[in-house]
């Protein structure tokens, strides 16, 4: 509780009302659902490992998967690009509630690019 001398705290997600985040994007006040909580809990160990790695290493691994899959082609190329696509989907799902509209648009554009490359690798020439 705040006294008359203290400012009232801004309600956050789950504390009633709508909290504002970034470029006017409203955050839902219902809180995360059971599926999101399960995925976040299950992802925590992997995210902790990723957090301990140098920043450039996951990016380099993702880049190598995409380039290697594009160059190799065939089933192995499809698996490599599909793995990169799954990784980006996973990170996008986890970070979605905390992103602004512009960040979401950029992430979805990268996701669609990976999907296009995966489909090109999947369909034989």
């Amino acid at each position: 509780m705040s006294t008359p001398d203290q400012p009232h705290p801004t309600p956050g997600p789950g504390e009633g009302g709508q909290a504002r985040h970034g470029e006017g994007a409203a955050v839902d006040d219902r809180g995360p659902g059971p599926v999101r909580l399960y995925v976040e809990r299950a992802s925590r160990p992997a995210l902790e490992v990723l957090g301990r790695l140098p920043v450039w290493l996951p990016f380099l691994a993702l880049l190598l998967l995409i380039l290697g899959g594009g160059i190799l082609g065939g089933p192995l190329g499809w698996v490599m690009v599909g793995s990169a696509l799954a990784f980006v989907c996973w990170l996008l799902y986890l970070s979605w509630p905390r992103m602004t509209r512009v960040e979401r648009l950029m992430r979805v554009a990268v996701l669609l690019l990976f999907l296009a490359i995966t489909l090109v690798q999947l369909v034989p020439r």
Side-chain angles (χ1 to χ4, degrees):
M1 301 278 333
S2 62
T3 63
D5 298 342
Q6 296 174 336
H8 294 284
T10 305
E15 297 177 4
Q18 294 259 332
R20 306 299 287 177
H21 174 43
E23 305 183 5
V27 178
D28 192 358
D29 65 346
R30 290 177 292 195
V35 173
R36 173 164 287 284
L37 288 174
Y38 174 78
V39 171
E40 287 177 354
R41 238 180 268 123
S43 300
R44 183 175 299 274
L47 291 173
E48 288 174 354
V49 169
L50 280 174
R52 287 192 296 265
L53 296 174
V55 175
W56 55 269
L57 190 58
F59 174 75
L60 181 64
L62 193 63
L63 184 65
L64 290 175
L65 281 172
I66 291 294
L67 290 177
I71 291 170
L72 289 176
L76 182 59
W78 180 83
V79 169
M80 291 173 74
V81 176
S83 299
L85 177 67
F87 180 75
V88 171
C89 283
W90 173 62
L91 289 179
L92 180 66
Y93 179 78
L94 290 174
S95 61
W96 190 265
R98 293 164 189 90
M99 291 191 296
T100 63
R101 286 186 196 135
V102 173
E103 291 171 330
R104 289 176 179 176
L105 183 62
M106 290 187 314
R107 299 307 195 294
V108 169
V110 169
L111 186 67
L112 291 174
L113 176 66
F114 285 179
L115 182 61
I117 294 171
T118 304
L119 291 175
V120 166
Q121 293 299 326
L122 182 62
V123 177
R125 297 183 183 142

